[in-house]
Amino acid sequence: MADMLVWVMQRRVVLADRAERLRKELAEIDAEVTRLEAAEVVIGQFIEAERSGQADDPDAAEELERVTTPGAGGMLLVPHREPGMDESALPADYQAIMKMVTAASEPVPAKDVSVQLGRGTQPGQVEPVRDKLRRLADRGWLHRTPAGRFTALAQPPA
């Protein structure tokens, strides 16, 4: 019986170490996803400026360089919600998601939001939307139910 207890303890330690490594890896991946989302927004703005003939703006080029440079961490595309903040502090795609969730009469799954955005129901179409919903929930903009659905918050956290 003592051998079994030793085995269980050793197994727990091994799995706890693995879980910690995976948590660190996930944090690094989340940081890179955030950087890429920021780059996507800035590149989109740069392309739009180029189309409208305003691409010669040195500030836009500098911003593009800053955001697309590897290791440009520290910039939060979705800020933590604070009292007095409204949805205008969010990028346009996040504002669209917020409008859909706040307009819903009950908590909505990521799949429904993806469909409303015109992206579809395939995992590759839903998962980016789910990531954005989670980010909004993690930063205090939405509430995530235990069932993985999302609903609007009445008040920002104090």
Side-chain angles (χ1 to χ4, degrees), residues 71-115:
M75 179 185 165
L76 287 179
L77 187 61
V78 177
H80 291 279
R81 187 174 185 194
E82 296 178 7
M85 282 182 104
D86 65 6
E87 294 172 11
S88 65
L90 299 170
D93 51 343
Y94 285 87
Q95 288 180 30
I97 290 171
M98 287 293 296
K99 286 179 185 168
M100 288 175 199
V101 175
T102 55
S105 59
E106 57 187 34
V108 294
K111 183 177 179 181
D112 290 357
V113 176
S114 179
V115 168

Side-chain angles (χ1 to χ4, degrees), residues 28-44 67-73 75 77 94 135:
E28 291 169 3
I29 290 169
D30 283 342
E32 185 168 352
V33 166
T34 300
R35 285 191 300 271
L36 291 172
E37 284 178 340
E40 182 181 340
V41 168
V42 173
I43 290 169
V67 174
T68 56
T69 302
M75 179 185 165
L77 187 61
Y94 285 87
R135 191 165 294 112

Side-chain angles (χ1 to χ4, degrees), residues 43-55:
I43 290 169
Q45 291 170 343
F46 188 76
I47 290 170
E48 189 60 36
E50 203 171 47
R51 286 183 189 150
S52 67
Q54 300 171 353

Side-chain angles (χ1 to χ4, degrees), residues 127-147:
E127 289 309 312
V129 174
R130 186 183 323 280
D131 289 341
K132 288 180 180 186
L133 286 161
R134 283 185 187 143
R135 191 165 294 112
L136 287 165
D138 291 345
R139 305 230 171 105
W141 292 92
L142 296 175
H143 171 72
R144 183 173 181 219
T145 68

